[in-house]
């Protein structure tokens, strides 16, 4: 009886251990698959408390929270609205000048859909439409292509397109001073207006991060790090703010940035001693609150499937290198690669009709 009881206890422990292992594996699998989850679940995640719209001048942390607010939170707090943004950069070195101007138009619908259009002065850009749980993307002069929602890429693109002013604030490395100027009305919403001016130094934000180094003790298969021209020059670390002027509006109910008008200038010297200058400006405004309730899909004639891969025939190279040369280079890759499904479909295809006199017979 004691032996039977002991065996029963051992079996029970094994069962519990197996159940625990299965649960653990299930948790790991679930954790791994969360990044491929429903984008709507990410949009419905709980929001942190709204920032205090009256504390931007006294608290740099609150100011950074308002400027860097992800657009998922902005859309959840403001609801349907329209956002227009224009960011300009102008580099000056002697008589040489390089300029970049980028505009963005975002229409956020009440049901969570949105339409985003980004363009620059070089006639480059893209348009993104998310409606009815489907995503469509096109280049500026192309047609819409349906795209998947893997890892909620549409939300990431929306964030990137609306971070223009946050990027300018980063360039000034904490030297922007905000002064409270009083309450204002902005398209039917109460807002607090702040003036923007250049504050005293030194900078209280770090410069460009250092290049990542290999882990300690790792010496094999480590290639030398080749710094980019930006890293070699390190201009972001040497750029000194010269002037900054502007104003911004913050919604008093939600702590969301409603309007920005800003221009500034930075100067530094290149490693060769040349004087360099960067002038920046931003004009951002949110309006049209409450509309639209939803967005229509692409119009008829504006939607086309993603182009199929082109099958590349490598056999024409045989006459130069010799028959069978390409077969020794390994499996085809890229556009020449054929999936297992394609190979199976070819094998199951109906045989070609027999030849009659060297010419395929008519069906």
């Amino acid at each position: 009886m004691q032996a039977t009881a002991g065996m029963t206890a051992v079996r029970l422990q094994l069962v519990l251990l197996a159940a625990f292992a299965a649960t653990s594996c299930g948790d790991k699998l679930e954790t791994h698959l969360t990044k491929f989850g429903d984008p709507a679940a990410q949009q419905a995640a709980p929001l942190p408390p709204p920032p205090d719209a009256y504390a931007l001048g006294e608290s740099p942390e609150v100011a950074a929270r308002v400027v860097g607010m992800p657009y998922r939170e902005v859309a959840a707090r403001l609801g349907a609205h329209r956002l227009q943004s224009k960011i300009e950069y102008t580099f000056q070195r002697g008589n040489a000048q390089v300029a970049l101007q980028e505009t963005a138009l975002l229409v956020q619908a009440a049901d969570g859909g949105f339409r985003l259009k980004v363009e620059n002065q070089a006639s480059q850009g893209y348009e993104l439409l998310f409606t009815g749980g489907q995503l469509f993307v096109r280049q500026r002069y192309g047609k819409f292509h349906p795209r998947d929602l893997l890892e909620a890429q549409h939300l990431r693109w929306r964030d990137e397109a609306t971070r223009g002013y946050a990027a300018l604030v980063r360039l000034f490395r904490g030297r922007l001073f905000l002064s409270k100027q009083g309450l204002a009305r902005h398209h039917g919403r109460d807002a607090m207006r702040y003036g923007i001016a250049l504050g005293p130094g030194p900078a209280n934000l770090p410069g460009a991060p250092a290049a990542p180094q290999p882990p300690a003790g790792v010496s094999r298969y480590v290639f030398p790090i080749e710094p980019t021209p930006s890293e070699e020059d390190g201009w972001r670390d040497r750029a000194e703010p010269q002037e900054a002027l502007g104003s911004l509006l913050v919604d008093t109910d939600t702590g969301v940035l409603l309007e920005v008008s800003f221009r500034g200038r930075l100067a530094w010297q290149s490693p060769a001693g040349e004087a360099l200058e960067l002038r920046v400006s931003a004009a951002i405004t949110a309006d049209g609150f409450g509309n639209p309730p939803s967005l229509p899909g692409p119009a008829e004639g504006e939607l086309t499937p993603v182009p199929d891969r082109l099958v590349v025939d490598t056999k024409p190279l045989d006459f130069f290198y010799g028959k069978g040369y390409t077969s020794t280079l390994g499996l085809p890759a890229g556009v020449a690669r054929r999936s297992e499904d394609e190979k199976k479909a070819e094998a199951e295809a109906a045989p070609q009709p027999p030849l009659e006199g060297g010419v395929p017979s008519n069906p």
Side-chain angles (χ1 to χ4, degrees):
M1 293 293 292
Q2 292 180 353
T4 303
M7 291 297 294
T8 302
V10 170
R11 290 174 182 172
L12 179 60
Q13 292 177 359
L14 292 175
V15 171
L16 293 176
L17 181 61
F20 175 77
T23 304
S24 177
C25 293
D27 291 342
K28 291 181 180 180
L29 179 61
E30 183 178 357
T31 302
H32 174 71
L33 293 178
T34 51
K35 64 179 181 180
F36 304 110
D38 184 7
Q42 299 185 30
Q43 290 182 327
L47 299 176
D52 185 1
Y54 299 92
L56 274 70
E58 297 79 16
S59 173
E61 293 78 15
V62 176
R65 166 92 163 81
V66 171
V67 172
M69 184 180 295
Y71 217 83
R72 179 186 73 88
E73 183 176 353
V74 173
R77 296 194 187 281
L78 289 184
H81 66 281
R82 180 181 66 172
L83 181 76
Q84 300 178 82
S85 171
K86 181 180 179 181
I87 308 293
E88 295 184 81
Y89 296 87
T90 303
F91 280 94
Q92 186 82 32
R93 183 179 65 181
N95 295 327
Q97 179 176 294
V98 177
L100 172 66
Q101 179 188 106
E102 183 176 273
T103 61
L105 173 62
L106 172 67
V107 178
Q108 180 70 47
D111 63 354
F114 61 87
R115 189 163 190 159
L116 173 64
K117 188 176 184 180
V118 179
E119 297 177 340
N120 61 25
Q121 86 279 13
S123 298
Q124 297 175 337
Y126 66 91
E127 190 169 356
L128 183 151
L129 174 60
F130 175 63
T131 179
Q134 293 182 307
L135 175 62
F136 307 94
V137 181
R138 71 174 174 182
Q139 295 181 347
R140 185 175 182 184
Y141 299 108
K143 293 185 177 182
F144 280 108
H145 297 295
R147 302 299 297 269
D148 58 51
L149 298 176
L150 189 65
E151 294 183 318
Q153 57 182 327
H154 60 304
L155 303 182
R156 185 177 69 253
W157 290 346
R158 184 177 61 178
D159 279 343
E160 294 294 337
T162 54
R163 286 176 179 164
Y165 179 63
L168 300 186
V169 172
R170 181 68 183 176
L171 282 177
F172 284 81
R173 297 173 61 188
R175 294 276 306 274
L176 297 182
F177 176 75
L178 300 179
S179 58
K180 194 179 297 181
Q181 294 184 344
L183 293 171
R185 291 285 289 176
H186 180 77
H187 294 272
R189 301 185 73 98
D190 292 327
M192 176 61 68
R193 183 178 297 277
Y194 288 88
I196 306 174
L198 185 60
N204 56 21
L205 291 177
Q213 300 297 321
V218 176
S219 57
R220 299 183 62 185
Y221 308 109
V222 176
F223 295 94
I225 298 176
E226 297 182 2
T228 65
S230 177
E231 292 171 339
E232 291 178 345
D233 187 47
W235 66 271
R236 289 179 179 82
D237 297 332
R238 298 198 304 273
E240 287 293 330
Q242 302 297 310
E243 64 176 337
L245 183 65
S247 65
L248 58 84
L249 286 174
V250 182
D251 187 71
T252 56
D253 294 330
T254 63
V256 173
L257 203 60
L258 298 179
E259 186 179 74
V260 176
S261 177
F262 174 78
R263 61 181 175 86
R265 182 170 60 89
L266 304 99
W268 68 100
Q269 285 190 340
S270 70
E274 294 179 291
L276 301 172
E277 184 180 83
L278 172 62
R279 297 188 299 275
V280 298
S281 67
I284 304 171
T285 183
D287 56 21
F289 303 107
N291 287 302
S294 61
L295 291 169
E300 184 177 357
E302 289 188 347
L303 181 62
T304 183
V306 177
D308 295 331
R309 294 179 305 175
L310 298 177
V311 179
V312 177
D313 183 11
T314 58
K315 290 183 179 179
L317 296 176
D318 289 347
F319 81 93
F320 186 79
Y321 292 102
K323 186 175 181 180
Y325 170 77
T326 55
S327 64
T328 64
L329 301 181
L331 296 176
V335 294
R337 179 180 178 273
R338 292 186 302 165
S339 67
E340 294 299 327
D341 291 339
E342 291 172 332
K343 295 178 182 178
K344 183 178 179 181
E346 291 179 0
E348 295 176 352
Q352 295 292 329
L355 297 178
E356 295 181 0
V359 179
S361 59
N362 294 328

